[in-house]
Amino acid sequence: MHRPILHQMTTDMRSGLKKFAVLIDPDEVGPSELKRLVELGLENHVDYFFVGGSLVIGDAMDMTIRFLKEHCPIPVVIFPGSIMQVNPHADALLFLSLISGRNPELLIGNQVLAAPYVKKSGMEAIPTGYILLDGGAPTTVSYISNTTPIPSDKPEIAACTAMAGELLGMQLMYMDAGSGAKKPIPADVIHAVRKSTDVPIIVGGGIKTPEKAYEDCNAGADIIVVGNAIEKDTSLIHDIAFAIHSASVTSAG
Ligand code: 1GP
């Protein structure tokens, strides 16, 4: 199966290049903010736009994806909170299974429902192990998914979960503390997962500073996702992009 976005992520990981994904929640970002995000994304070499959310209430998903595709070459990747967010105009879809949880609907049920549509659309679907970690307080994703996140002081559980995901054939791991998490994922947990799997690791949830993004890259994250903090202050894009891309030099050099 031809998967150019996954291929790029894997090649970058092997080269030690760290990448930055800006997460856009279509409910929170209107046309003028989108335009600004595109400008800042281009200026600061943002690597991906992720679009989605655990709870997308409005109908702006399609408009957001089309706008991004029309106005910039930055790849658009759907990070779906539900099967209703699957959209053929994006460059790729994270085909998630919530492997830290024990909710069969999110392990396989929704994927069965989405599969025929995704196959027919021909879009790139990346088999992704989604690992939810405790972010210090319940988040929308922990509530909506009805799953218990992995405690953030149990790196070994996160590591074994990632190992299982990889053995099941997942090509990407997404470690998430949940959007707006009080506490982002500790570096030692990222490091434990890095040592346990050879696939690219995405890390997100509650990252607000360039320092934390840089620390996570050095701990083994390949792609850092930031949503909330950028919604509040778009100027953060510059400093976080710089921190992530500089971590590449350290790791690769
Ligand atoms: C949430 O990983 C993403 O699923 C990003 O989280 O919005 O807290 O940056 P934030």
Side-chain angles (χ1 to χ4, degrees):
M1 196 178 284
H2 185 52
R3 293 194 177 114
I5 298 284
L6 174 64
H7 180 75
Q8 188 63 53
M9 289 173 172
T10 309
T11 308
D12 289 336
M13 173 192 71
R14 292 187 181 136
S15 312
L17 295 174
K18 305 298 181 176
K19 299 289 164 173
F20 180 23
V22 170
L23 175 64
I24 298 177
D25 177 342
D27 281 343
E28 301 294 333
V29 178
S32 61
E33 288 103 338
L34 260 185
K35 193 163 168 281
R36 184 76 190 122
L37 284 175
V38 165
E39 285 163 9
L40 287 168
L42 291 169
E43 269 166 38
N44 295 290
H45 309 287
V46 163
D47 301 287
Y48 299 99
F49 281 123
F50 283 8
V51 182
S54 340
L55 190 64
V56 174
I57 299 163
D59 56 3
M61 187 83 189
D62 189 59
M63 186 277 288
T64 303
I65 292 171
R66 283 173 191 266
F67 183 93
L68 293 171
K69 288 307 302 166
E70 277 163 24
H71 291 87
C72 72
I74 299 171
V76 176
V77 177
I78 299 177
F79 170 44
S82 80
I83 54 175
M84 280 142 66
Q85 294 173 26
V86 176
N87 185 299
H89 303 294
D91 294 285
L93 163 75
L94 299 181
F95 200 74
L96 304 172
S97 178
L98 207 175
I99 56 176
S100 58
R102 301 295 179 266
N103 177 344
E105 290 309 319
L106 300 180
L107 277 164
I108 185 64
N110 283 344
Q111 294 80 348
V112 171
L113 297 177
Y117 177 70
V118 172
K119 282 281 261 189
K120 195 172 167 203
S121 74
M123 67 188 307
E124 176 177 350
I126 305 176
T128 306
Y130 186 55
I131 302 175
L132 192 58
L133 285 123
D134 188 66
T139 57
T140 308
V141 60
S142 63
Y143 178 80
I144 295 281
S145 69
N146 198 16
T147 65
T148 309
I150 296 174
S152 61
D153 60 350
K154 302 282 183 206
E156 66 283 5
I157 300 181
C160 294
T161 304
M163 277 187 228
E166 187 178 42
L167 289 169
L168 284 165
M170 286 156 192
Q171 309 278 308
L172 195 60
M173 294 298 148
Y174 192 140
M175 302 176 68
D176 199 355
S179 198
K182 277 193 177 164
K183 291 194 222 149
I185 299 172
D188 66 321
V189 183
I190 298 169
H191 187 60
V193 169
R194 174 71 290 155
K195 283 193 300 181
S196 315
T197 173
D198 295 324
V199 303
I201 298 173
I202 301 174
V203 174
I207 299 173
K208 299 186 188 74
T209 64
E211 292 77 15
K212 178 59 180 158
Y214 186 81
E215 182 191 29
D216 290 355
C217 288
N218 285 331
D222 299 294
I223 299 173
I224 299 290
V225 186
V226 183
N228 248 267
I230 288 171
E231 267 167 32
K232 292 189 180 113
D233 176 11
T234 48
S235 70
L236 264 179
I237 290 186
H238 174 269
D239 292 352
I240 295 183
F242 183 77
I244 293 168
H245 295 141
S246 337
S248 300
V249 180
T250 314
S251 312

